[in-house]
Amino acid sequence: MRKTILLIVLLLSFLGHGQVLDPVKWNTTVEKLSDKEYKLVSTASIQQGWHLYSQNVPENGPIPTTFKYDVVKGSFKLNGTTAEKEGHIIEDPIFRMKIKYFENSTVFEQRILVSSKISSVKAVVEFMVCDDSRCMPPTEVDLIFNLEKAKIIAQPITSTQQTTVISDSIIKEKDTASIEQHENNTIKPIVSNDVKAENKKENGLLGIFFIAFLSGFAALLTPCVFPMIPMTVSFFTKQSQNKAVGIKNAIIYGVCIIVIYVLLGTAVTGIFGADALNALATNVWFNIIFFLLLVIFAVSFLGAFEIMLPNSWSNKVDSQADRGGLVGIFFMALALAIVSFSCTGPIVGTLLVQAASKGGIAPIIGMFGFSLAIALPFALFAAFPGWLNSLPKSGGWLNTVKVVLGFLELALAFKFLSQADLVMQTHLLEREVFLAIWIAVFGTLALYLFGKITLPHDSPLNHISVGRLSLGLVVLSFTIYMIPGLWGAPLNLISAFPPPQDYSESPYGVGSSKGGSPASAHTDVPEGAHLLAPHDIVAFDDYDKGLAYAKKVGKPVMLDFTGWACVNCRKMEQNVWPDPKILSMLKNDVVLISLYVDDKRDLASSEVVESKLRPGKQLKYIGQKWSELQTIKYKANSQPFYVLMDHSGENLTEPVAYTPNIEEFQSWLKKGVSQFKK
């Protein structure tokens, strides 16, 4: 009887709000592929209803799963990147981005090349899991891979899983139970949602091809390439024995152009890896460097200077072109690529980075689309030489195309700088600043198209053509469209480019009667607090300061255990808190203390202590401190999690988690506030 009662009590404790959750279990195993090569397999068993995020998550999204392997110098090296399954891809309504996650179970695989005798490999994994109503804080788990118990594999298994790049990370060993049931999953044909994910991937490649084709067409209309069309086609038709041979040679010339650029895309993919550039595209320093490169390219397009490859290169290639035959035609195509580099180089460089951010064979597809747009005119005009008479004559309009591309390069450059700023959270390029720069860039472009501004290589302009006027009107309309964004307009047409609305210098919009920022809009914000815009809720992010203020004003405390990447926290703040009755209570009846469990800022040296939950590990970050407080004191570790307490830290009512029902959350607030005694 006593055992039965104890069992019931334990069961009830697990069902309560104060449950400490552990929805993901990690197992490890090792496969020996050869004397030197091993495959480290990490299996995540995920409880029903929970989902684990992918290693590759867009910026400003949830915390990705990341691995870091403890590479002892000279013992082994990583062979490639950590592979993962296809998973499921959803359009997240809160983050407004496509996010990939896994359910039930998934497997991550990392190949290593061993250079000295070792018995095991240590690693650490950091991950985040959510269900439909709550999210766990970022969790680190240690993993150990026992090489001495490796399963010998005769031939490497070909997997259909997607290889993705990981950032600095590592993993934890718990139980080395058999994972054979999961091994089957890694080599099964992908079906259901995975097929949809593959279709989306194919659609992404089609998008890259289309953008690349348009980029090639833009490059075709530059002064470095366009004049080459009639010159080169005339050369083939006059030098060939007959028209048929001339057409054949021009087609071969076009194919050689495609081969050259596709080889460039293949080289980029082969040297850096199918997905390594994807990691670079999200790297802070890479984004800063590419911002500087694009600015240089833009200034070159605007006419400040020319970017040229060494003349010796073109001279050597020209000498080879005189050999004739297929070899000679190939070197003529190579000469075109080198001579036109000052115009095509910036476009190709931008395109390669954009394509590389998609991973896989996207750089190859991008270069194919780009080169196809350049090669087609040579083949078509060779087949129909009469069309050459219909081509517009070379002139000042070619420089106009080049200048327009320069303005576009300049605008795109700030997208890369914005990405670096978002990752570093420096708030130097917030939404208003970004939009102001774009408004200035496109506004200046409109003035240029209308002939109000001239640049160094422009021809005298007595009048503007209908086409130039039309393009100017489009650019001016786009500029005017962006202006309301300074006042908080969503700007859905360009939502992928500027920083998100909450990454803003003026949460209320420039010129709002509330002022440029929450702090400037209110003079009564207590020390150590800030205002949550746009609701103007006074909130503390430090427990001690918030509690001291609550004692001073004689109000109960509402602890808000939250996270920057917590989806359901944002749902509560956007859908529940703005209700007038709840908003009034949050402003007037409680002192709100928001504790971010994923805050990666370093703790002060005086606050660095040993973790009580993980002996031997130190608490390094502010978020770890709040996460441990929630777990130890409230026996809960998921967010959002709300606690109403008095000044001695005693609960006024039972804590609650995600509560999307407004009436229910209001009732909880009222009950807690009514229990407070000053």
Side-chain angles (χ1 to χ4, degrees):
M1 183 65 179
R2 185 177 299 172
K3 290 183 178 180
T4 304
I5 294 174
L6 179 60
L7 201 58
I8 293 173
V9 170
L10 288 173
L11 179 61
L12 290 175
S13 68
F14 277 108
L15 294 176
H17 282 295
Q19 179 182 357
V20 176
L21 303 170
D22 188 16
V24 180
K25 301 289 186 183
W26 292 89
N27 296 323
T28 63
T29 189
V30 181
E31 296 178 2
K32 186 173 183 180
L33 306 179
S34 66
D35 289 341
K36 297 293 185 182
E37 186 174 15
Y38 291 81
K39 183 193 292 183
L40 310 181
V41 182
S42 307
T43 301
S45 300
I46 310 164
Q47 287 184 10
Q48 185 69 30
W50 291 84
H51 52 265
L52 171 72
Y53 289 107
S54 166
Q55 298 173 96
N56 191 17
V57 172
E59 292 177 9
N60 303 314
I63 302 298
T65 299
T66 51
F67 293 85
K68 185 175 183 181
Y69 299 87
D70 187 9
V71 180
V72 180
K73 187 175 181 180
S75 60
F76 72 93
K77 65 179 181 179
L78 302 181
N79 183 16
T81 59
T82 301
E84 65 180 30
K85 294 178 66 177
E86 286 291 345
H88 308 279
I89 299 178
I90 61 169
E91 184 70 41
D92 191 277
I94 299 298
F95 288 107
R96 296 181 182 179
M97 61 179 68
K98 288 183 173 63
I99 298 179
K100 176 181 173 183
Y101 67 88
F102 307 100
E103 293 180 316
N104 301 323
S105 69
T106 190
V107 176
F108 301 89
E109 297 179 348
Q110 173 66 56
R111 297 189 178 210
I112 63 170
L113 294 174
V114 177
S115 52
S116 63
K117 185 171 179 58
I118 54 174
S119 60
S120 63
V121 172
K122 295 180 180 179
V124 171
V125 60
E126 182 183 24
F127 61 95
M128 178 175 176
V129 290
C130 295
D131 65 7
D132 293 335
S133 64
R134 55 197 164 175
C135 287
M136 302 286 289
T139 304
E140 287 188 355
V141 174
D142 299 326
L143 294 178
I144 297 178
F145 300 89
N146 192 335
L147 302 188
E148 294 179 344
K149 294 183 179 180
K151 181 192 297 183
I152 298 177
I153 304 296
Q155 293 180 343
I157 299 175
T158 301
S159 173
T160 57
Q161 34 185 304
Q162 175 188 5
T163 302
T164 54
V165 175
I166 57 170
S167 57
D168 267 351
S169 28
I170 35 186
I171 328 187
K172 167 175 183 182
E173 186 225 32
K174 283 208 173 182
D175 155 51
T176 51
S178 171
I179 62 162
E180 310 217 342
Q181 55 187 354
H182 303 305
E183 287 174 350
N184 292 331
N185 292 337
T186 64
I187 58 173
K188 281 183 180 177
I190 299 169
V191 295
S192 186
N193 287 343
D194 296 337
V195 172
K196 296 178 182 178
E198 188 65 27
N199 290 337
K200 289 182 180 179
K201 185 176 179 181
E202 291 176 3
N203 291 337
L205 292 177
L206 287 175
I208 285 291
F209 174 82
F210 182 70
I211 293 172
F213 187 84
L214 292 180
S215 300
F217 184 73
L220 188 67
L221 300 178
T222 60
C224 310
V225 181
F226 187 82
M228 300 290 291
I229 297 175
M231 293 170 53
T232 306
V233 172
S234 297
F235 172 81
F236 280 122
T237 53
K238 291 178 181 179
Q239 297 296 321
S240 303
Q241 299 173 352
N242 52 56
K243 181 180 178 180
V245 175
I247 293 174
K248 183 189 74 172
N249 288 340
I251 292 175
I252 294 173
Y253 181 69
V255 171
C256 289
I257 293 173
I258 294 175
V259 169
I260 289 168
Y261 281 101
V262 169
L263 286 175
L264 175 61
T266 304
V268 168
T269 303
I271 293 172
F272 295 101
D275 296 289
L277 281 174
N278 185 24
L280 284 177
T282 57
N283 179 273
V284 170
W285 294 111
F286 176 81
N287 278 285
I288 292 175
I289 291 171
F290 202 73
F291 160 74
L292 296 174
L293 284 176
L294 283 185
V295 169
I296 294 172
F297 289 156
V299 172
S300 171
F301 270 170
L302 295 176
F305 52 83
E306 293 286 339
I307 300 175
M308 303 287 291
L309 290 176
N311 289 329
S312 59
W313 291 20
S314 56
N315 293 335
K316 289 181 180 179
V317 170
D318 283 338
S319 63
Q320 293 295 322
D322 295 334
R323 295 172 58 180
L326 291 177
V327 174
I329 294 175
F330 176 82
F331 278 98
M332 284 186 66
L334 185 59
L336 170 68
I338 293 175
V339 170
S340 64
F341 179 80
S342 61
C343 292
T344 60
I347 301 174
V348 169
T350 305
L351 180 61
L352 277 174
V353 172
Q354 290 294 327
S357 68
K358 302 293 183 183
I361 62 170
I364 299 174
I365 298 297
M367 287 298 94
F368 175 70
F370 178 84
S371 57
L372 182 64
I374 292 180
L376 274 176
F378 292 96
L380 290 175
F381 284 112
F384 306 98
W387 289 4
L388 288 173
N389 297 325
S390 63
L391 277 180
K393 295 184 180 296
S394 299
W397 69 273
L398 288 175
N399 188 68
T400 300
V401 172
K402 191 176 178 182
V403 170
V404 170
L405 291 175
F407 277 104
L408 295 178
E409 291 267 359
L410 186 61
L412 184 61
F414 284 95
K415 170 59 180 173
F416 289 92
L417 185 61
S418 173
Q419 289 178 178
D421 181 65
L422 281 167
V423 172
M424 294 188 296
Q425 289 288 299
T426 57
H427 291 267
L428 296 177
L429 194 61
E430 293 177 324
R431 185 177 176 87
E432 294 89 349
V433 179
F434 183 95
L435 289 175
I437 292 172
W438 267 39
I439 290 169
V441 170
F442 285 97
T444 305
L445 174 57
L447 292 175
Y448 172 79
L449 291 171
F450 291 140
K452 302 300 181 182
I453 296 174
T454 57
L455 291 172
H457 299 298
D458 287 332
S459 302
L461 187 66
N462 298 321
H463 66 277
I464 59 174
S465 65
V466 174
R468 182 165 177 164
L469 175 64
S470 300
L471 181 59
L473 290 173
V474 170
V475 174
L476 179 61
S477 300
F478 177 66
T479 304
I480 296 173
Y481 166 78
M482 289 190 290
I483 293 175
L486 298 174
W487 280 264
L491 304 182
N492 292 330
L493 288 179
I494 58 170
S495 59
F497 289 93
Q501 286 180 301
D502 58 350
Y503 194 77
S504 174
E505 179 179 316
S506 303
Y508 304 112
V510 176
S512 169
S513 60
K514 294 185 178 181
S517 67
S520 63
H522 297 261
T523 57
D524 56 347
V525 178
E527 184 180 355
H530 61 277
L531 287 179
L532 294 177
H535 310 312
D536 289 347
I537 302 173
V538 175
F540 291 82
D541 56 13
D542 183 275
Y543 182 93
D544 295 325
K545 291 180 180 179
L547 182 58
Y549 179 74
K551 293 178 180 179
K552 178 181 177 181
V553 298
K555 294 180 181 180
V557 170
M558 176 176 153
L559 292 182
D560 166 28
F561 288 96
T562 183
W564 296 112
C566 172
V567 175
N568 288 314
C569 302
R570 303 294 86 79
K571 287 182 179 179
M572 290 291 294
E573 294 161 10
Q574 295 173 17
N575 303 326
V576 178
W577 290 14
D579 181 86
K581 296 177 182 177
I582 292 176
L583 187 58
S584 176
M585 296 189 71
L586 293 177
K587 283 185 174 183
N588 304 312
D589 299 334
V590 300
V591 173
L592 178 65
I593 303 178
S594 295
L595 305 177
Y596 288 83
V597 299
D598 56 359
D599 191 333
K600 291 291 187 180
R601 289 178 298 167
D602 292 331
L603 281 167
S605 56
S606 59
E607 295 183 1
V608 175
V609 296
E610 184 176 336
S611 170
K612 295 180 180 178
L613 296 176
R614 304 177 67 196
K617 299 282 186 177
Q618 287 189 325
L619 300 181
K620 300 178 182 177
Y621 308 119
I622 292 175
Q624 292 176 329
K625 174 183 176 180
W626 303 137
S627 178
E628 186 147 313
L629 170 67
Q630 181 190 1
T631 304
I632 293 175
K633 187 170 183 178
Y634 300 106
K635 303 298 186 289
N637 58 353
S638 64
Q639 291 76 46
F641 190 79
Y642 305 109
V643 179
L644 280 172
M645 71 178 199
D646 60 19
H647 299 158
S648 63
E650 296 297 325
N651 291 352
L652 297 172
T653 184
E654 191 72 18
V656 296
Y658 177 60
T659 312
N661 185 286
I662 293 176
E663 288 74 19
E664 185 179 344
F665 192 73
Q666 181 190 1
S667 175
W668 174 79
L669 275 173
K670 283 184 175 180
K671 181 180 178 181
V673 171
S674 66
Q675 296 294 321
F676 177 69
K677 297 178 182 180
K678 295 183 181 180

